[in-house]
Amino acid sequence: MTTPPTVEPTREPAQPVGASVSASGRKRRIRRRLRRMGRNPRTRVRGPSFNRLIPNIMTMLGLCAGLSGMRFALEHQFEPAAVALLIAACIDGLDGRIARLLKGATRFGAEFDSLSDFVCFGVAPSFVLLMWSLEHAGRYSFVPCILFTVCMALRLARFNASLDDDDKPDYSYSFFTGVPAPAGAGLVLFPVFLGLEADRLHAEGLAAFARLPLVSAVCLIVTGLLLVSTLPVWSFKNFKVPARYVLPLMLGTGLYAALLVADPWGALAGAGLLYIAILPFSRRSYHRLKLAAEEMSETVEEEPA
């Protein structure tokens, strides 16, 4: 018998030892050539996205608007100064909502917004009123300006401290403690709005009244006390409008917008008076909710286990 020939298994050619070394060396040579040609290899950029920077950019623009208002007041251009502060107030009402919408709310943004509010609504309005009627009113004319600015700083500090308070009742989230900063700036600028409206109507008596140092001093002191008070004020964030009032509210908003375009200073002065008028109703609403919550808690405690 003849034995079948043995078939040897085929072996793949072994990879040379220096293959991996040569591949890495080839990559390094390619990178050197790219660097010489001015084409660096693309690296991954680390940092926040542009969407998350939009709220901080808006806060920066609001701060610039407030500083521009001070510059206009220094040149006795009070109409541009009032417009600049109104722009700062509008931006302040939008940047927080945009931050929550884009999921870009950060601790840095909150602190930056608070500092911007202090400059735009605490320093700039008192400076405008100082140049409006208190510049040559005597040695004590600067005291109401200091009082208002200090009260604004205390109000903002109290608001920042209350953000970490989780023990507040649910009904209190619809109210501010004291007048908020933008509303306080609008109230304290009432003499400026009234005087600009009087100048437009050529009412010399009303214009002279609006430029009285006593009027500006009273507005500064009263508004400063409202800022640091414990008066509950509607925040209008979670304010629910009954269905039967939706259409009248929309019509009233449209009419006020038309009035604001046609006669801005009169509309702003009237808005300040209207805001003062709703403060007693806000306080009554808060105490009504507080009594209802206390009665409900007493009822729950009295029920047998």
Side-chain angles (χ1 to χ4, degrees):
M1 286 181 70
T2 59
T3 59
T6 59
V7 179
E8 295 181 357
T10 58
R11 297 180 179 179
E12 297 180 355
Q15 187 177 5
V17 177
S20 61
V21 178
S22 61
S24 61
R26 192 180 300 110
K27 291 180 180 178
R28 284 195 293 270
R29 286 196 297 271
I30 292 173
R31 289 177 180 175
R32 288 196 202 99
R33 292 177 183 175
L34 289 174
R35 291 193 188 98
R36 291 172 185 173
M37 295 173 64
R39 300 176 182 176
N40 293 329
R42 186 176 179 181
T43 57
R44 186 176 180 182
V45 179
R46 298 180 180 274
S49 62
F50 182 75
N51 289 341
R52 296 192 173 185
L53 295 178
I54 291 177
N56 294 333
I57 293 174
M58 293 187 64
T59 305
M60 179 68 72
L61 294 176
L63 177 60
C64 294
L67 295 174
S68 300
M70 297 174 64
R71 178 246 180 185
F72 287 126
L74 190 62
E75 297 176 354
H76 292 273
Q77 299 179 10
F78 295 104
E79 286 192 12
V83 171
L85 294 183
L86 289 174
I87 293 174
C90 293
I91 292 177
D92 180 70
L94 292 175
D95 56 1
R97 289 170 175 81
I98 292 177
R100 289 187 291 270
L101 183 63
L102 298 177
K103 298 181 180 179
T106 59
R107 186 67 180 178
F108 171 81
E111 296 296 334
F112 185 36
D113 183 71
S114 180
L115 293 174
S116 175
D117 289 348
F118 174 69
V119 175
C120 296
F121 308 134
V123 178
S126 61
F127 185 81
V128 170
L129 283 182
L130 178 67
M131 305 305 297
W132 172 259
S133 62
L134 296 174
E135 184 178 9
H136 304 291
R139 57 187 301 183
Y140 297 107
S141 60
F142 195 60
V143 174
C145 300
I146 294 177
L147 177 64
F148 174 80
T149 303
V150 169
C151 290
M152 182 65 74
L154 294 175
R155 195 258 177 268
L156 292 173
R158 183 178 62 184
F159 176 77
N160 293 339
S162 66
L163 294 177
D164 300 329
D165 187 10
D166 297 331
D167 297 332
K168 295 192 300 183
D170 294 337
Y171 60 86
S172 65
Y173 285 97
S174 299
F175 296 87
F176 289 120
T177 303
V179 173
L187 291 177
V188 83
L189 289 175
F190 175 77
V192 179
F193 298 151
L194 185 63
L196 293 176
E197 177 65 16
D199 292 338
R200 191 187 69 84
L201 297 176
H202 303 288
E204 297 180 358
L206 187 61
F209 173 77
R211 289 183 178 273
L212 286 176
L214 182 61
V215 175
S216 298
V218 169
C219 287
L220 286 167
I221 295 172
V222 172
T223 308
L225 296 178
L226 288 175
L227 289 170
V228 296
S229 67
T230 57
L231 181 69
V233 181
W234 279 321
S235 65
F236 298 104
K237 293 180 179 179
N238 301 320
F239 190 79
K240 293 183 179 180
V241 181
R244 63 180 181 273
Y245 294 135
V246 172
L247 185 59
L249 179 63
M250 295 180 67
L251 290 175
T253 304
L255 290 175
Y256 181 77
L259 181 62
L260 188 63
V261 173
D263 189 6
W265 310 122
L268 291 171
L273 296 176
L274 180 63
Y275 191 85
I276 291 292
I278 67 172
L279 291 181
F281 298 98
S282 175
R283 181 178 180 275
R284 188 179 65 177
S285 176
Y286 177 84
H287 286 289
R288 185 186 303 167
L289 292 174
K290 182 179 179 181
L291 291 175
E294 291 176 353
E295 291 177 358
M296 187 178 298
S297 62
E298 291 176 359
T299 304
V300 172
E301 292 178 357
E302 292 176 357
E303 289 182 356

